[in-house]
Amino acid sequence: MNAVVEEHHDHDHKPTGLGRWLFSTNHKDIGTMYLWFSFTMFFIGGALALVIRAELFQPGLQIVEPEFFNQLTTLHGLIMVFGVIMPAFVGLANWQLPMMIGAPDMALPRMNNWSFWLLPGAFGLLLASLVMSLMGMGSAPNFGWTFYAPLSTTYGPDSTDYFIFSVHLMGISSVMGAINVIATIMNLRAPGMTYMKMPIFVWTWFITAYLLIAVMPVLAGVVTMMLTDRNFGTSFFDAAGGGDPVMFQHVFWFFGHPEVYIMILPAFGIISSIVPTFSRKPLFGYSSMVYATASIAFLSFIVWAHHMFTTGMPVAGELFFMYATMLIAIPTGVKVFNWISTMWRGALTFETPMLFAIAFIFLFTMGGFTGLMLCIVPADFQYHDTYFVVAHFHYVLVTGAAFSIMAAVYFWLPKWTGNMYDEKLGKLHFWLTCISANVLFFPMHFVGLAGMPRRIPDYALQFAEFNQIATVGAFVFGFSQLIFLYVVIKCVKGGEKATDKVWEGAHGLEFDLPSPAPFHSYTTPPEVK
Amino acid sequence: MAAQSSDKQTANNPGSENNGIIGRLLLLVMVMFGFGFALVPLYDIFCDVTGLNGKTGDKVNFVTAPIVDESRLIKITFLASLNESMPWEFKPQQSFIEVHPGQPTTINYLAKNISSKSIVGNAVPSVVPGLAAAYFQKTECFCFTQQELKAGEEKIMPVTFIVDSQLSTDINEIALSYTFFISKKTTQDLANNNLSAKNL
């Protein structure tokens, strides 16, 4: 099979220079752009987070005004969710899906180009509001990443309209990306690859793509309602005109909760690819993994109001959403036990991707457990809007989603570049990242339980020690990512040549291709038995 | 551009298969965009049907006098608030009252227009706890109609209510809250009429 691919290798027509990237219809080039975009945004969002942590190093106001602090938390959240995690997963999908299912490229290459190039526009708009704020020309969005009405409607700054169009563009980009993923998976699988033979990363992305198509339009709807409320005299969320601000939260979280799973299901797929490779065993419970992913996706649609327990919901509603939320622990538990069972009696080695994967399993599960604590209604009344919530979602998004992305980059980078990354530096990056992330986020549990509210630049004196520890962790975490950047650049530029299989225990069609992977993946479909 | 043509050559699927999928998925996108907007009326309907959000019902007319349960006393607390754009003063004349279930009771709110023009207002009632809303029945209320106050005018606004004796024995206290909103359209009509009357 390799021979066939190599024959075609010389026929690659790559436009050169800027045009190669601007007009690219190649899944690998577009994947690369997504990943670099995400990496850039990671440093921008991270810089905002470091200003937040620097301000919180001491009680009282030191570095920024409270108004600007609000803009920092808002943009940090928006950039990390929509600019880092989601584009990184789409980038990984672009690189991996065609190789994993034995296709030459994505099914809709030109749409692929468009969905990427909308993103710089979207984030250009969003970041423009921050630049204007820094230049003293009005406030950037300052209502938190959840942009609750009426903070974002009646009281929103002028730049809210920038934000709204930015979200529209991101939404269009995500929906097109999702359509592309589904069309690719449905139409371009190699002969013999039935649905239940697809790699688990492909399965998780297939389900994620449906989630995106189901909820990104609802997000577009809610920001459209905001737009008309702000500019065209409607009253969707304005009580004075017969609207209801609480309804904003219902519509937003109807999008928001599936969004949470959009940011974690592909991570499950990545971990399910890495753990078997370094355990040298097939994945334990493949079909239960597929069904668990589908159940999580279904449940994600009926739990949204657990974000709103303190809005004055009736007891019946609170009980329903509490029990439905608890149910999610079952399929998630299935996954965690399957990963552990895969490692059980395996011939384990601990290369950097495996280290990140194991850290993911442990730390994501801790984030899951604090999620279970939060879904208990009477307890949530105390935890709501405290640093406990901040600790919870950073455990699932940083040590969960972001760790899985780092694991995926280390895992597939040799396949992409043809060179092995620097294992020593990779391990250094892992240990610094893993330890500092816990130093950063673990103390937040304690200050949260003690009642420190989130999104506030000042705090009571007794929270000072834990906040100082968290800030130290934040700076170590932030600067450790420069090692990651260095490792990636070093690997792209050269290094020890990677074999086609890359890893001793690697399985899957992408590891049958040569390293680096040819410009067009499988020009002749492989036979899957 | 060369990359595109080579993609076309190497793609091993006919475009029609993709088009079917794209069409169906775009339809789903449209449906979900519409669903976001449909949540607005659905949310109201859901609250009406289940009575879950403390919204009280419309005017109740009793054919026969309701039975008074003298063994119980329910404390009713009265609250008043104004929407930010409403230039009135608004407060209950007493902060609470204790009543027997089934006993018709009238209390008064006091509203005053402190602005320099006539304003039409709408009062929106709400009952806490939400489960008590269905048992809190109003026979007369200033919230049933729009209220007009001329500049500087003061008005006593009565509300007559009966707490249904079927109310769960778990509930001993009910809070009744009114928020006055400005009725922008009617206030505007009023101003226009005054203006045209002056012109005549």
Side-chain angles (χ1 to χ4, degrees):
Chain A
M1 198 186 317
N2 287 351
V4 177
V5 175
E6 269 152 23
E7 249 177 44
H8 285 263
H9 205 203
D10 298 333
H11 294 276
D12 290 348
H13 304 286
K14 273 192 220 176
T16 47
L18 197 60
R20 168 178 172 189
W21 303 103
L22 274 178
F23 308 120
S24 178
T25 53
N26 179 272
H27 75 101
K28 296 192 178 72
D29 281 356
I30 293 172
T32 304
M33 288 195 288
Y34 264 113
L35 289 170
W36 279 114
F37 177 82
S38 159
F39 214 170
T40 313
M41 286 294 148
F42 186 48
F43 282 107
I44 296 174
L48 301 182
L50 289 187
V51 181
I52 294 172
R53 280 318 318 174
E55 172 60 52
L56 291 174
F57 186 66
Q58 290 183 327
L61 299 176
Q62 287 87 33
I63 301 172
V64 292
E65 296 294 316
E67 293 79 13
F68 190 64
F69 187 87
N70 290 342
Q71 301 167 34
L72 287 173
T73 52
T74 305
L75 286 165
H76 166 72
L78 289 169
I79 289 173
M80 288 303 192
V81 167
F82 294 104
V84 178
I85 307 276
M86 290 172 70
F89 280 141
V90 180
L92 292 171
N94 257 301
W95 257 101
Q96 291 307 124
L97 292 187
M99 294 204 285
M100 286 178 146
I101 61 173
D105 206 301
M106 296 294 276
L108 310 162
R110 272 174 274 192
M111 195 162 88
N112 208 5
N113 174 295
W114 194 23
S115 53
F116 172 75
W117 281 109
L118 281 177
L119 280 183
F123 282 88
L125 273 177
L126 192 62
L127 291 173
S129 67
L130 181 65
V131 171
M132 286 188 280
S133 168
L134 289 170
M135 289 162 63
M137 296 157 66
S139 169
N142 55 5
F143 26 69
W145 87 274
T146 51
F147 53 99
Y148 277 10
L151 290 176
S152 58
T153 50
T154 316
Y155 305 105
D158 291 341
S159 61
T160 308
D161 297 322
Y162 278 65
F163 157 81
I164 290 171
F165 284 121
S166 167
V167 170
H168 273 139
L169 289 177
M170 291 171 206
I172 295 169
S173 162
S174 296
V175 165
M176 289 197 303
I179 291 176
N180 205 351
V181 165
I182 293 174
T184 307
I185 294 173
M186 290 179 95
N187 283 353
L188 296 186
R189 275 170 295 129
M193 184 179 276
T194 57
Y195 279 108
M196 288 313 273
K197 280 185 186 167
M198 293 196 306
I200 205 84
F201 179 71
V202 179
W203 252 118
T204 52
W205 241 112
F206 192 45
I207 292 168
T208 304
Y210 274 105
L211 284 183
L212 278 168
I213 288 178
V215 300
M216 289 314 275
V218 177
L219 176 70
V222 75
V223 293
T224 307
M225 290 182 221
M226 273 171 63
L227 186 76
T228 57
D229 266 17
R230 286 172 56 80
N231 300 304
F232 304 112
T234 59
S235 300
F236 286 105
F237 308 128
D238 182 8
D244 188 343
V246 175
M247 194 187 65
F248 173 89
Q249 298 183 30
H250 280 287
V251 185
F252 175 80
W253 284 115
F254 186 86
F255 146 79
H257 204 79
E259 165 71 14
V260 172
Y261 293 98
I262 289 166
M263 291 190 287
I264 204 65
L265 293 185
F268 292 162
I270 291 164
I271 302 306
S272 305
S273 315
I274 292 174
V275 169
T277 303
F278 296 99
S279 306
R280 290 161 184 80
K281 276 175 67 192
L283 180 67
F284 184 88
Y286 170 89
S287 52
S288 68
M289 283 297 207
V290 173
Y291 296 131
T293 311
S295 333
I296 293 173
F298 167 75
L299 288 171
S300 74
F301 284 99
I302 55 165
V303 296
W304 77 90
H306 67 210
H307 296 269
M308 306 167 49
F309 282 149
T310 58
T311 53
M313 261 200 294
V315 177
E318 290 183 331
L319 288 177
F320 170 79
F321 286 110
M322 174 168 93
Y323 292 132
T325 306
M326 285 179 173
L327 266 185
I328 298 182
I330 296 170
T332 313
V334 167
K335 285 180 167 293
V336 172
F337 284 116
N338 279 349
W339 290 322
I340 296 172
S341 308
T342 308
M343 286 191 276
W344 173 250
R345 291 187 171 173
L348 296 172
T349 50
F350 300 96
E351 286 86 347
T352 311
M354 184 61 164
L355 289 174
F356 270 106
I358 294 172
F360 171 96
I361 297 172
F362 183 65
L363 297 172
F364 172 80
T365 307
M366 292 211 321
F369 279 139
T370 50
L372 274 176
M373 290 170 73
L374 284 162
C375 85
I376 298 166
V377 173
D380 181 74
F381 274 66
Q382 179 176 349
Y383 305 153
H384 187 86
D385 261 348
T386 68
Y387 258 81
F388 190 77
V389 178
V390 178
H392 158 69
F393 67 71
H394 281 92
Y395 263 88
V396 289
L397 285 178
V398 177
T399 62
F403 271 29
S404 82
I405 293 163
M406 291 174 192
V409 170
Y410 281 112
F411 186 53
W412 284 310
L413 201 54
K415 174 55 63 185
W416 301 338
T417 61
N419 307 317
M420 290 306 286
Y421 60 88
D422 187 326
E423 187 66 51
K424 268 205 182 107
L425 282 178
K427 284 203 165 112
L428 177 71
H429 170 231
F430 167 75
W431 285 110
L432 281 172
T433 303
C434 185
I435 293 168
S436 61
N438 282 288
V439 174
L440 162 57
F441 297 119
F442 208 80
M444 291 182 183
H445 290 114
F446 304 131
V447 286
L449 288 177
M452 178 172 160
R454 63 191 280 212
R455 292 172 172 156
I456 310 283
D458 191 4
Y459 53 83
L461 223 53
Q462 68 266 31
F463 304 135
E465 279 86 356
F466 281 134
N467 272 294
Q468 288 180 342
I469 295 170
T471 299
V472 170
F475 277 84
V476 177
F477 182 88
F479 285 95
S480 304
Q481 303 321 309
L482 293 173
I483 304 175
F484 187 32
L485 179 65
Y486 177 73
V487 173
V488 172
I489 292 174
K490 194 178 167 199
C491 180
V492 171
K493 291 208 176 257
E496 191 196 328
K497 292 287 159 242
T499 59
D500 290 358
K501 213 177 163 193
V502 184
W503 309 106
E504 191 198 358
H507 280 284
L509 290 176
E510 77 266 41
F511 293 110
D512 291 342
L513 287 169
S515 299
F519 199 57
H520 300 291
S521 298
Y522 277 99
T523 40
T524 315
E527 199 68 45
V528 178
K529 284 166 204 93
Chain B
M1 288 299 110
Q4 273 183 10
S5 58
S6 75
D7 282 344
K8 247 183 205 166
Q9 282 159 18
T10 51
N12 59 355
N13 66 299
S16 59
E17 265 181 65
N18 282 339
N19 291 344
I21 291 171
I22 297 168
R24 282 199 296 277
L25 293 176
L26 280 179
L27 186 71
L28 185 60
V29 170
M30 297 298 170
V31 168
M32 290 311 293
F33 187 71
F35 178 74
F37 284 86
L39 279 174
V40 177
L42 284 176
Y43 176 69
D44 275 346
I45 293 167
F46 184 79
C47 289
D48 276 352
V49 172
T50 56
L52 282 180
N53 64 349
K55 282 187 182 167
T56 57
D58 290 336
K59 184 172 177 168
V60 178
N61 289 311
F62 289 95
V63 184
T64 54
I67 307 147
V68 179
D69 179 1
E70 292 195 346
S71 66
R72 288 175 71 192
L73 264 181
I74 312 283
K75 181 181 174 185
I76 316 282
T77 311
F78 304 104
L79 302 164
S81 54
L82 290 165
N83 183 249
E84 57 187 351
S85 55
M86 188 66 164
W88 284 11
E89 282 175 357
F90 178 52
K91 55 177 190 286
Q93 281 191 327
Q94 57 197 117
S95 59
F96 70 91
I97 194 171
E98 291 192 317
V99 295
H100 297 297
Q103 175 190 329
T105 313
T106 303
I107 65 110
N108 293 321
Y109 273 81
L110 196 66
K112 186 182 181 187
N113 183 353
I114 53 170
S115 77
S116 54
K117 54 174 187 174
S118 293
I119 282 173
V120 180
N122 259 337
V124 175
S126 175
V127 164
V128 174
L131 289 175
Y135 302 93
F136 190 88
Q137 288 152 349
K138 299 186 291 305
T139 53
E140 281 305 327
C141 179
F142 57 91
C143 59
F144 292 150
T145 53
Q146 293 194 328
Q147 301 289 330
E148 185 192 337
L149 288 185
K150 300 206 165 54
E153 189 188 349
E154 204 172 3
K155 198 168 171 183
I156 286 175
M157 298 191 171
V159 50
T160 306
F161 61 86
I162 298 168
V163 179
D164 194 317
S165 47
Q166 302 291 309
L167 178 73
S168 157
T169 48
D170 292 342
I171 299 172
N172 298 310
E173 281 187 49
I174 294 174
L176 172 66
S177 145
Y178 286 100
T179 305
F180 249 114
F181 292 94
I182 190 166
S183 173
K184 279 186 188 138
K185 190 176 171 296
T186 335
T187 305
Q188 191 59 44
D189 290 349
L190 209 64
N192 292 343
N193 289 347
N194 288 348
L195 208 64
S196 50
K198 266 182 204 161
N199 289 346
L200 284 172

